[in-house]
Amino acid sequence: MKKILACFIAFCCVSIAQATEIAVVDFRAALLQSNIGQEAAKGPKQQVAQMDATLQQEQKALETSANELKRDELTLSQEEFQQRRQELAERQNRLRGMAANMQRQAKELEQELIESLTPTGEAALKSIIEERNLELVLNRQLSLYASAAADITDELVMRINKDN
């Protein structure tokens, strides 16, 4: 009797574990891949491209200055050479600061974009959860392994596109 009861309890536990519907989703990617995400990203992408173009111009100008300093090194006085080298180092530091600032601004623009799209994405995700009777949805980056069937990112993208 004890063995039968233990087997019954084990069977119930296995059945419960198998009945749990679990899915994974890359919510950020779904938002950015959706039609509204693509449309909303156009402005920030242009801003980042403009910042990148400015940064590249500054890098080229800095390289030109460095090459000129190498070329003129033997004709300059020690004092003038040191002064130009110091100016070059200061320009390099400003360029590094510009690059760091550009990266920070790009991240802020993306974060603002994600925040503006999140309510739409959450509504679409909620409808998928209800339709599929999901009991647990994990962020894909947090899971060690998930089969392709468990990943609902593409389904979320299609739902966002359909609803908007």
Side-chain angles (χ1 to χ4, degrees):
M1 182 70 170
K2 288 182 181 179
K3 288 183 181 181
I4 294 172
L5 185 58
C7 287
F8 179 74
I9 291 172
F11 178 76
C12 289
C13 290
V14 169
S15 296
I16 290 171
Q18 290 177 346
T20 302
E21 290 293 324
I22 299 173
V24 296
V25 67
D26 187 339
F27 191 73
R28 179 187 160 281
L31 292 175
L32 295 175
Q33 291 172 10
S34 69
N35 292 340
I36 61 169
Q38 293 290 317
E39 188 63 34
K42 287 181 181 176
K45 282 181 182 178
Q46 286 179 332
Q47 287 178 297
V48 170
Q50 288 172 347
M51 289 187 289
D52 191 44
T54 302
L55 186 64
Q56 287 180 5
Q57 285 177 338
E58 290 294 324
Q59 285 175 328
K60 286 181 183 177
L62 185 63
E63 287 174 15
T64 301
S65 295
N67 290 335
E68 288 174 358
L69 182 60
K70 282 181 185 178
R71 182 191 67 213
D72 298 341
E73 181 177 2
L74 298 176
T75 60
L76 295 173
S77 68
Q78 185 67 21
E79 184 178 291
E80 190 175 354
F81 175 75
Q82 290 299 332
Q83 180 184 1
R84 285 180 59 184
R85 199 163 133 189
Q86 178 66 31
E87 290 171 1
L88 191 61
E90 289 171 4
R91 285 178 65 190
Q92 285 176 326
N93 287 336
R94 281 195 305 271
L95 187 63
R96 283 189 203 110
M98 265 179 73
N101 187 40
M102 185 186 91
Q103 288 176 338
R104 182 186 52 75
Q105 286 179 329
K107 284 181 182 181
E108 287 174 1
L109 288 170
E110 182 181 331
Q111 185 62 33
E112 289 171 8
L113 177 65
I114 296 294
E115 287 174 7
S116 71
L117 297 173
T118 293
T120 303
E122 286 175 343
L125 181 59
K126 185 176 180 181
S127 66
I128 293 171
I129 290 169
E130 289 171 356
E131 286 176 11
R132 292 182 66 175
N133 293 320
L134 296 173
E135 296 175 25
L136 179 64
V137 177
L138 297 172
N139 187 332
R140 184 170 46 187
Q141 287 79 10
L142 297 177
S143 64
L144 294 176
Y145 169 78
S147 69
D151 191 336
I152 61 171
T153 304
D154 291 337
E155 185 178 348
L156 181 57
V157 171
M158 288 187 292
R159 179 62 55 95
I160 292 170
N161 290 343
K162 180 183 145 193
D163 292 347
N164 294 292

